[in-house]
Amino acid sequence: GGGGRPACVARLGSATPGPPPRRAPNAFRLLALWQYCRCCPAADAMGMGASAPTKVPVDPAPVTLHVYDVGRSAEIRAVNSILENVGTGAFHCGVEAYGREFSFQATPRGSGVFTCIPGRCPSHTYRTSVSMGKTQFGESEVLALVDQLRMEWNGTCYDMLVRNCCHFCDLMCRRLGVGPIPLWTRNLAGAGAAVKGAYDVAVENLYPTLLMGCLSSRPPDHQRKAQATSKAAHVPAAAMERPRQRCFAS
């Protein structure tokens, strides 16, 4: 038009002003925001905080002690049936956790810790099972514990009275937080260990002082026989006759 503004000026004047350009956040603002997220409980609840990682809760797992009659003979089962009345017996034990049974046995080399199907140890006769409660250990933690026990329990160190399968199961249950195992499964070995300990002390104290001294003072057998033969050859026959006993009338 004649007196109007140019079209380009009209378009520029009618344009709506936009927001100011955003400034890039500097290091101080980022540090302040990070500290706020760490200290503010609401920000931590929304996942903005840098909280420490928490352990995933594990459902408690049952632990079972499987008890066997030692060996496969019917005689042992009969003996255990009698000893059961007085709260003892000759037993083999295994600990079940997460579907596996762990126990200890004598081996010529390496670890004596072994695994089998729960309740089906091939070398012994199943008798009963005892619930030991529940452990807070996860499956990976139980397997790590077993690996540690494998290094501690060498098969060559097996001892029927002081380091057998019952002692192993008792220790494993204690470390799982469910022990100790029932006394009747291990008190026969405990009684035998006490007798063995007393015997060892007696042997250690008596043999060096008395028995070994007597043996060292005695001549060998062949020397004693030679000495006896030599003495018999020099004794007169009259002296070897037994003197007659005289009877006196009262």
Side-chain angles (χ1 to χ4, degrees), residues 81-102:
S81 298
I82 298 173
L83 294 177
E84 185 180 19
N85 297 323
V86 294
T88 186
F91 301 114
H92 169 80
C93 294
V95 177
E96 177 188 355
Y98 290 99
R100 304 180 187 181
E101 182 177 327
F102 308 96

Side-chain angles (χ1 to χ4, degrees), residues 169-180:
C169 293
D170 183 67
L171 177 62
M172 182 174 178
C173 285
R174 289 176 187 270
R175 292 191 180 180
L176 290 175
V178 297

Side-chain angles (χ1 to χ4, degrees), residues 147-199:
D147 289 339
Q148 181 180 357
L149 292 174
R150 290 184 192 276
M151 295 185 292
E152 297 176 4
W153 290 72
N154 196 292
T156 57
C157 298
Y158 180 94
D159 187 280
M160 186 180 298
L161 298 179
V162 297
R163 193 176 177 84
N164 60 22
C165 57
C166 297
H167 300 100
F168 170 84
C169 293
D170 183 67
L171 177 62
M172 182 174 178
C173 285
R174 289 176 187 270
R175 292 191 180 180
L176 290 175
V178 297
I181 65 175
L183 182 62
W184 59 267
T185 62
R186 53 190 171 91
N187 60 1
L188 183 63
V195 173
K196 181 178 181 296
Y199 172 79

Side-chain angles (χ1 to χ4, degrees), residues 2-248:
R5 291 182 298 174
C8 60
V9 176
R11 287 195 298 271
L12 290 175
S14 62
T16 304
R22 299 180 60 184
R23 294 188 302 173
N26 55 27
F28 294 102
R29 291 188 177 184
L30 292 176
L31 179 61
L33 179 61
W34 178 73
Q35 291 178 344
Y36 170 78
C37 292
R38 288 190 59 191
C39 301
C40 180
D44 187 59
M46 292 185 295
M48 299 174 61
S51 58
T54 57
K55 183 179 178 180
V56 179
V58 178
D59 294 334
V63 178
T64 305
L65 180 72
H66 296 294
V67 184
Y68 303 79
D69 293 319
V70 172
R72 288 289 185 179
S73 66
E75 290 79 5
I76 293 294
R77 293 197 297 272
V79 170
N80 280 346
S81 298
I82 298 173
L83 294 177
E84 185 180 19
N85 297 323
V86 294
T88 186
F91 301 114
H92 169 80
C93 294
V95 177
E96 177 188 355
Y98 290 99
R100 304 180 187 181
E101 182 177 327
F102 308 96
S103 190
F104 176 68
Q105 64 183 0
T107 56
R109 61 181 180 276
S111 176
V113 179
F114 69 96
T115 307
C116 68
I117 301 174
R120 299 184 183 180
C121 181
S123 302
H124 306 283
T125 306
Y126 175 81
R127 186 173 188 86
T128 186
S129 297
V130 180
S131 175
M132 298 299 298
K134 294 186 177 182
T135 180
Q136 301 295 329
F137 283 32
E139 184 174 5
S140 59
E141 294 173 312
V142 172
L143 296 179
L145 171 62
V146 173
D147 289 339
Q148 181 180 357
L149 292 174
R150 290 184 192 276
M151 295 185 292
E152 297 176 4
W153 290 72
N154 196 292
T156 57
C157 298
Y158 180 94
D159 187 280
M160 186 180 298
L161 298 179
V162 297
R163 193 176 177 84
N164 60 22
C165 57
C166 297
H167 300 100
F168 170 84
C169 293
D170 183 67
L171 177 62
M172 182 174 178
C173 285
R174 289 176 187 270
R175 292 191 180 180
L176 290 175
V178 297
I181 65 175
L183 182 62
W184 59 267
T185 62
R186 53 190 171 91
N187 60 1
L188 183 63
V195 173
K196 181 178 181 296
Y199 172 79
D200 291 341
V201 171
V203 168
E204 182 179 357
N205 292 335
L206 294 178
Y207 274 24
T209 57
L210 297 179
L211 183 58
M212 295 306 295
C214 295
L215 292 177
S216 60
S217 62
R218 296 177 62 185
D221 293 340
H222 66 278
Q223 293 183 6
R224 293 201 305 271
K225 292 180 180 179
Q227 293 174 1
T229 304
S230 176
K231 290 181 180 179
H234 292 83
V235 174
M240 298 181 61
E241 293 181 357
R242 183 177 180 181
R244 297 180 181 180
Q245 295 182 354
R246 297 182 180 180
C247 299
F248 296 93

